[in-house]
Amino acid sequence: MNYRERQALKESTNEEGKGRLAGNKFKFWFAVLALIFVIFAVSIGVSIGRNMKADNNSSLGLENSDVSKNPTVTPTSFTTIVPTSSPPTSSPTLSPTSSPTLIKIAESAAAVYLSSLPPMQLLGFAQALDDPTSPEYKAMEWLLTDPSNTENYDHSNSANFDDPQTQLETSQRYAAAYLNQVLGINKTNWMSSQNVCEWEGLQCDGNQRSRSLAVSANSITKIDFSSFDLPSHKIPPQFAYFQKLTSLNLNNNSFKGPIPTALFDLIELEDLNLSNNQLEREIPPDISECTSLKNLLLHNNNLDSALPDTLFDLTNLQKLNLSNNNLTGNISSNIANLNLLEELNFSLNQFGGQFPTEVMQLVQLKVLSTSSNDFDAHNLSSEVSNLVNLVE
């Protein structure tokens, strides 16, 4: 190959190299542009996805939800919200998921006041307001929303609860409404705008029987639900809400289950009549807390077990009727403590053993019935013969 041929071949090779180089550069920049386009497209897609998610959250009420992030509720005409900076220690605790209506009821001035009362605290009032199906919640709802209350009285203004009249009226109307929720009391004036002293079966102290809520209310001191034909139900311990009660008569209904110990927090109680029901189990030892009791009538039930020794600490008892139950055991010699007793009926039970000679010390006793038991007959006869004041 001569010089010219080699030179031509060299030039041809150089041209092919330049062509390949130009092709490689084109492919490189094309790849760069394609990569930029892909990144741009991905960015646009992510942005669109975020906007769609935000729109969905907004439409479902999940973004900045008042319920999930801040349960503050604007007060209505019947609600006063307690400042969150210093809530009372006894006020209900609400979870972040509580509904607005639930918050209105639980944080109302009336609910906050009632939560501070010892009987309400012992019986779980504040906790029950977390359940809209509970009788506590429904009674509060009636108190705060029913025209029979809102048209005559303001239970929503916290300033009103410095007034003893407001405190008494609120607590008694709530307590009566609670009993109605549980027992379905369909009697004269119940759940009306009239003063609770006018509701059938409720009696207040003093002489005021006003039909207007504007007149000072008196404390409910007597509850007489005798023969109210109430449904078969346990005795609600919430009778203890009526702290000034001196007489409670639930005779001749269909109450069942045990006698609630909360009744014996009524330290002013003088007359307790739970006869002619279907009550079961023991007479609670806590009965000794009712030191003012004068008349205790528990006959015609299904009470069993032995008598608690604390029963004989009720030194003001004048009438004690435990007949027609299933009570067992011996009668304690501490019966002598009941020296004001005028009537004593132990009949139709399963008591046994020696009748205590200390019964001779009951000099006020006029009526004594011990039949249909397992007492020692000779012993009983000799002791009874010494009771000179016996009429029967």
Side-chain angles (χ1 to χ4, degrees):
M1 181 180 296
N2 58 30
Y3 171 79
R4 288 183 179 180
E5 289 176 341
R6 287 196 301 272
Q7 192 69 24
L9 180 61
K10 182 178 180 180
E11 289 178 356
S12 174
T13 302
N14 289 340
E15 290 296 326
E16 290 179 358
K18 289 179 180 180
R20 285 195 299 271
L21 179 61
N24 289 339
K25 288 182 178 180
F26 173 81
K27 291 180 181 180
F28 171 79
W29 288 111
F30 179 83
V32 170
L33 290 175
L35 180 60
I36 293 173
F37 176 81
V38 170
I39 293 173
F40 178 77
V42 170
S43 299
I44 293 297
V46 170
S47 178
I48 292 174
R50 288 177 177 174
N51 290 337
M52 291 178 65
K53 183 177 180 180
D55 290 341
N56 289 337
N57 287 346
S58 177
S59 65
L60 293 174
L62 300 175
E63 184 174 340
N64 297 322
S65 171
D66 288 339
V67 174
S68 61
K69 294 186 179 179
N70 183 8
T72 302
V73 177
T74 303
T76 67
S77 59
F78 59 86
T79 305
T80 298
I81 303 300
V82 178
T84 57
S85 58
S86 57
T89 56
S90 57
S91 62
T93 301
L94 298 174
S95 63
T97 57
S98 299
S99 69
T101 302
L102 185 62
I103 294 173
K104 291 177 184 178
I105 296 292
E107 293 192 356
S108 67
V112 171
Y113 167 69
L114 292 174
S115 297
S116 70
L117 302 179
M120 305 289 186
Q121 294 173 352
L122 290 174
L123 295 173
F125 166 77
Q127 293 80 0
L129 293 184
D130 287 333
D131 179 9
T133 65
S134 69
E136 289 88 349
Y137 182 92
K138 291 180 179 179
M140 280 301 302
E141 189 174 39
W142 171 82
L143 184 71
L144 295 171
T145 64
D146 193 271
S148 63
N149 296 302
T150 59
E151 292 178 1
N152 295 281
Y153 209 82
D154 183 7
H155 292 98
S156 65
N157 189 345
S158 58
N160 288 343
F161 287 89
D162 294 331
D163 175 24
Q165 175 185 335
T166 303
Q167 297 173 1
L168 181 62
E169 181 66 28
T170 300
S171 61
Q172 292 190 154
R173 288 184 76 80
Y174 165 77
Y178 175 89
L179 292 181
N180 183 69
Q181 286 291 332
V182 174
L183 301 176
I185 304 171
N186 185 22
K187 298 294 180 179
T188 305
N189 296 336
W190 272 76
M191 311 309 289
S192 72
S193 60
Q194 295 182 353
N195 192 296
V196 289
C197 300
E198 293 293 330
W199 295 11
E200 185 176 352
L202 304 180
Q203 182 176 333
C204 297
D205 60 356
N207 297 316
Q208 297 184 30
R209 295 290 182 270
S210 172
R211 296 179 181 274
S212 171
L213 294 181
V215 176
S216 177
N218 291 322
S219 295
I220 294 173
T221 57
K222 295 182 179 180
I223 294 179
D224 186 356
F225 290 171
S226 177
S227 301
F228 260 33
D229 194 26
L230 298 175
S232 181
H233 196 283
K234 292 182 179 180
I235 295 177
Q238 283 78 7
F239 277 107
Y241 287 163
F242 301 93
Q243 286 289 287
K244 296 297 182 180
L245 212 59
T246 61
S247 177
L248 176 60
N249 187 349
L250 303 181
N251 169 53
N252 197 28
N253 286 285
S254 299
F255 288 114
K256 62 183 180 179
I259 300 173
T261 58
L263 294 184
F264 306 127
D265 291 332
L266 299 170
I267 59 175
E268 298 185 28
L269 199 63
E270 297 179 359
D271 301 296
L272 178 60
N273 187 347
L274 306 180
S275 60
N276 298 297
N277 284 286
Q278 302 167 25
L279 300 176
E280 303 169 347
R281 304 182 192 175
E282 64 177 2
I283 298 174
D286 294 11
I287 196 171
S288 60
E289 299 298 318
C290 289
T291 57
S292 298
L293 265 183
K294 295 179 180 179
N295 301 303
L296 178 60
L297 309 179
L298 303 178
H299 53 283
N300 297 335
N301 280 290
N302 299 313
L303 300 172
D304 54 31
S305 76
L307 298 180
D309 288 338
T310 54
L311 177 65
F312 303 107
D313 293 333
L314 301 175
T315 56
N316 287 308
L317 271 184
Q318 298 174 15
K319 188 174 183 178
L320 175 61
N321 192 339
L322 305 179
S323 64
N324 197 19
N325 280 284
N326 299 307
L327 298 167
T328 61
N330 298 338
I331 304 300
S332 170
S333 61
N334 290 332
I335 195 173
N337 295 337
L338 310 183
N339 55 13
L340 298 180
L341 209 58
E342 297 179 3
E343 296 183 25
L344 176 60
N345 193 337
F346 284 155
S347 64
L348 296 168
N349 280 287
Q350 300 174 33
F351 293 121
Q354 297 284 317
F355 199 77
T357 58
E358 287 78 7
V359 73
M360 294 175 53
Q361 301 177 33
L362 305 180
V363 295
Q364 304 295 326
L365 201 60
K366 298 177 181 179
V367 177
L368 174 62
S369 180
T370 61
S371 62
S372 299
N373 281 285
D374 295 323
F375 292 122
D376 184 294
H378 175 74
N379 162 262
L380 178 59
S381 177
S382 62
E383 298 305 332
V384 170
S385 64
N386 291 301
L387 296 171
V388 295
N389 289 323
L390 277 185
V391 176
E392 58 177 278

